[in-house]
Amino acid sequence: MSEATREAMEYDVVIVGAGPAGLSAAIRLKQLDESLEVVVLEKGSEVGAHILSGAVLDPSGLDALIPDWKDKGAPLNTPVTEDNFYMLGAAGRVRVPNWPMPPLMNNHGNYIVSMGNVCRWMAEQAEALGVEIFPGMSCSEMVYGESGEVRGVVAGEFGRNPDGTPGPNYEPGMELHGKYVFLSEGVRGSLSKEVIAKYDLASGVEPQKYGLGMKEIWEVDPDKHREGSVTHTMGWPLGKNAGGGSFIYHLENNQVYVGFVVHLNYENPHLYPYMEFQRFKHHPMVADLLKGAKRVAYGARAISEGGWQSMPKMVAPGVALLGCSVGMVNVPRIKGNHNAMLSGKAAAEAAHDAIKAGRASDELGAYEQDVREGAIGRDLKKVRNVKPLWSKFGLLTSLAVGGFDMWTNTAGFSLLGTLGHGKSDADATGKASDHTPIDYPRPDGKLSFDRLTNVSYSMTNHEESQPCHLRLGDPEVPTRVNLPQYAEPAQRYCPAGVYEVVQEEGSDPRFVINFQNCVHCKTCDIKDPSKNITWVTPQGGDGPNYPNM
């Protein structure tokens, strides 16, 4: 905690994060009572700058929040026209037919979107209702009351030296207090981690599971563009090394989203998720699509995959966790934005009722009940066994048994009950000596690219004079423990080239953190086998500046 003296501002509800959950909460609060004082604090340089998602959007969340979104110009311009599923081999593919898949896997009625642009539009709707939105305002600390309740957050602290001491232009920021604080930071948010630990909200639930999602935007030959086409693949190049797969979405303007997800519970520490993505683009199916095309953007983000059995308690005195701060992604559908919106709406309704009744800083139990018993719970409970089946039995078995389980859940029951996940993703990492190194081909500069070149397409920037926001619990662990035991996997699991082991002749190896490259994916906070890296928010406005992700 800082000892700085700060001014304080009072609000009814303080919302951290201008993603789909936070903005939905802000909009719903103002719909219910325009006199409520609501503020949204966003660490990105603008709303949408840090938003990265596939994304095929199920509009059910938007339908519930703003039923006339079409008339209001929401940027949902590309309805899905076809669904394709393929199992890939090194040189070929097998089409997985659509007919045996449960109805929930059908993308009819969904839209290919830029969630960054959807959030920008949602911010406009919120501001028109009177919501205050402050981009470039990182929330660095929680503020607690005398009884241990959440009272607010510290936002807008700037100007610390690399060693953490106040610099010559230090600004202490402000305390923003609220009757309730909503944390909608996305996956593995630093304040959400603190709150979950402080109030022991994850007690009795399965460990959260994660994937690493990497995405590029390509402008392709108009003759190869199929607006509205959605393709998902599994199998090659990951094989038995890791779970995961790809997505290829054709949106408007001859643009295509090409993405790849690697489940972070992989064992082989030699696995290099970013290079698996780059190798994937050399499959004949993908290489043909991208021949003569132009890559225009790159980014990466962790995805919460634990689902129903990994959701922590969502409320504590004065605070509620929204969206991916809880983990509301439907893994087989690769969709969570609709649930994030619904969670924001539910939290807003619970807070409105509480404030109207004269309450403040207590637990919003009605919000948690709505999530678990309402549309979000029904969506996640149906697919709760897909992820653990995949992790324990591999791709083919999980396709067959998981598909059957989804069908029975659609009918209202499951023969499997609720399966557990077991180890955390960090604990799943095996010893380097027990696994074979993987030889990855060098990027060709046409279809595949080195990490630093691609990171330049994320327009990431961090002020170098600030403290490193990637903190080591013990600075010696990377070279003393992780390097000899795990071949220091941070060199490979980071999709932005942040971590290096530098070996100079006549000296011991050094662990180098190039935090300027960080795209805020949080993978290091999740996958480090020694759990020695903690991601905290850098100063406001720093990080990626995604245009249309």
Side-chain angles (χ1 to χ4, degrees):
M1 272 288 198
S2 169
E3 298 300 323
T5 300
R6 299 184 173 97
E7 296 181 13
M9 295 182 66
E10 300 291 333
Y11 290 89
D12 290 302
V13 180
V14 175
I15 300 172
V16 180
L23 291 169
S24 295
I27 289 168
R28 186 59 179 154
L29 283 162
K30 282 293 196 177
Q31 288 174 339
L32 291 167
D33 185 350
E34 62 181 14
S35 70
L36 288 173
E37 295 291 333
V38 181
V39 64
V40 179
L41 305 165
E42 166 56 37
K43 69 181 174 69
S45 60
E46 64 169 348
V47 173
H50 290 178
I51 297 293
L52 187 147
S53 184
V56 172
L57 178 64
D58 175 344
S60 58
L62 206 52
D63 289 339
L65 183 70
I66 307 175
D68 58 344
W69 54 264
K70 286 186 180 179
D71 296 333
K72 291 186 174 178
L76 279 68
N77 304 318
T78 309
V80 175
T81 57
E82 63 174 352
D83 264 326
N84 302 296
F85 298 87
Y86 292 102
M87 188 75 69
L88 298 187
R93 61 182 181 178
V94 175
R95 174 77 183 269
V96 179
N98 296 62
W99 60 264
M101 296 185 184
L104 61 89
M105 297 296 290
N106 189 342
N107 275 309
H108 178 75
N110 298 330
Y111 294 81
I112 302 170
V113 301
S114 158
M115 278 310 298
N117 290 338
V118 170
C119 288
R120 292 179 179 100
W121 175 83
M122 292 179 70
E124 293 173 359
Q125 308 310 303
E127 288 179 321
L129 292 169
V131 175
E132 295 182 40
I133 301 178
F134 297 125
M137 292 285 278
S138 288
C139 296
S140 53
E141 297 179 23
M142 300 298 300
V143 177
Y144 298 99
E146 294 180 359
S147 301
E149 79 280 11
V150 169
R151 185 76 183 89
V153 296
V154 173
E157 186 180 38
F158 290 90
R160 287 194 178 273
N161 293 318
D163 65 359
T165 59
N169 299 311
Y170 176 67
E171 298 178 22
M174 298 188 67
E175 289 190 5
L176 292 98
H177 298 166
K179 295 182 176 72
Y180 296 98
V181 175
F182 291 170
L183 298 181
S184 51
E185 301 173 286
V187 176
R188 199 76 168 187
S190 53
L191 299 185
S192 301
K193 273 184 65 179
E194 178 182 326
V195 165
I196 290 170
K198 178 179 176 65
Y199 298 103
D200 199 21
L201 302 184
S203 175
V205 303
E206 288 292 310
Q208 186 59 263
K209 306 294 285 183
Y210 299 92
L212 171 60
M214 297 157 285
K215 175 181 173 182
E216 296 170 351
I217 304 178
W218 287 73
E219 292 178 357
V220 303
D221 182 339
D223 291 339
K224 297 178 181 179
H225 187 248
R226 301 287 183 268
E227 187 169 313
S229 173
V230 166
T231 296
H232 293 103
T233 77
M234 297 167 286
W236 190 89
L238 290 173
K240 295 181 179 179
N241 283 321
S246 82
F247 58 87
I248 302 173
Y249 302 155
H250 292 241
L251 62 159
E252 65 263 36
N253 301 322
N254 297 319
Q255 289 195 332
V256 177
Y257 294 150
V258 180
F260 201 79
V261 177
V262 177
H263 299 170
L264 289 176
N265 61 352
Y266 62 83
E267 294 183 8
N268 187 345
H270 301 292
L271 186 82
Y272 197 157
Y274 174 84
M275 289 307 299
E276 296 285 352
F277 175 30
Q278 299 307 301
R279 184 160 63 165
F280 158 75
K281 290 180 291 178
H282 286 271
H283 189 277
M285 180 185 78
V286 188
D288 180 67
L289 171 66
L290 300 182
K291 185 178 181 180
K294 178 184 178 183
R295 166 209 44 170
V296 297
Y298 166 75
R301 187 79 166 127
I303 305 166
S304 59
E305 295 184 339
W308 173 259
Q309 54 270 63
S310 296
M311 292 196 301
K313 185 179 178 183
M314 301 164 208
V315 294
V319 66
L321 306 178
L322 277 54
C324 279
S325 294
V326 175
M328 298 182 179
V329 172
N330 182 313
V331 171
R333 296 184 75 200
I334 324 179
K335 290 179 180 62
N337 289 307
H338 63 299
N339 286 335
M341 292 178 183
L342 291 172
S343 76
K345 178 175 178 289
E349 291 168 353
H352 167 261
D353 290 347
I355 293 169
K356 188 176 179 181
R359 292 161 45 201
S361 299
D362 59 356
E363 292 192 1
L364 293 172
Y367 162 60
E368 176 131 12
Q369 183 177 1
D370 189 312
V371 169
R372 295 192 184 275
E373 298 180 5
I376 298 171
R378 290 192 296 270
D379 185 51
L380 296 179
K381 201 168 184 181
K382 289 177 184 177
V383 301
R384 65 192 182 277
N385 291 323
V386 172
K387 172 70 176 182
L389 282 169
W390 196 336
S391 300
K392 293 177 181 179
F393 301 110
L395 176 58
L396 294 178
T397 300
S398 69
L399 276 176
V401 181
F404 174 76
D405 189 62
M406 283 191 286
W407 267 112
T408 61
N409 271 287
T410 301
F413 68 96
S414 172
L415 297 176
L416 301 179
T418 300
L419 300 178
H421 293 303
K423 298 178 181 177
S424 71
D425 291 335
D427 291 336
T429 311
K431 299 293 178 66
S433 58
D434 295 333
H435 296 274
T436 304
I438 302 171
D439 183 25
Y440 291 100
R442 292 175 62 86
D444 68 356
K446 297 177 182 178
L447 292 177
S448 50
F449 311 95
D450 66 84
R451 280 184 298 190
L452 296 187
T453 298
N454 239 358
V455 168
S456 70
Y457 282 77
S458 70
M459 290 172 280
T460 293
N461 183 62
H462 293 85
E463 171 56 53
E464 295 186 23
S465 63
Q466 66 184 300
C468 176
H469 65 279
L470 302 162
R471 298 181 180 173
L472 301 179
D474 181 343
E476 295 186 5
V477 161
T479 53
R480 191 185 74 240
V481 179
N482 286 359
L483 185 59
Q485 294 190 25
Y486 304 101
E488 186 42 275
Q491 303 174 92
R492 293 173 293 280
Y493 61 57
C494 173
V498 168
Y499 301 101
E500 292 181 274
V501 175
V502 177
Q503 179 74 67
E504 295 166 342
E505 188 175 350
S507 62
D508 294 333
R510 292 186 297 113
F511 188 64
V512 178
I513 302 177
N514 304 299
F515 74 86
Q516 297 88 349
N517 297 349
C518 179
V519 294
H520 299 192
C521 74
K522 319 287 180 62
T523 302
C524 54
D525 196 301
I526 296 163
K527 186 60 177 172
D528 179 60
S530 298
K531 303 176 186 175
N532 189 50
I533 302 175
T534 298
W535 188 98
V536 299
T537 184
Q539 69 181 20
D542 287 1
N545 285 279
Y546 295 135
N548 300 304
M549 285 294 195

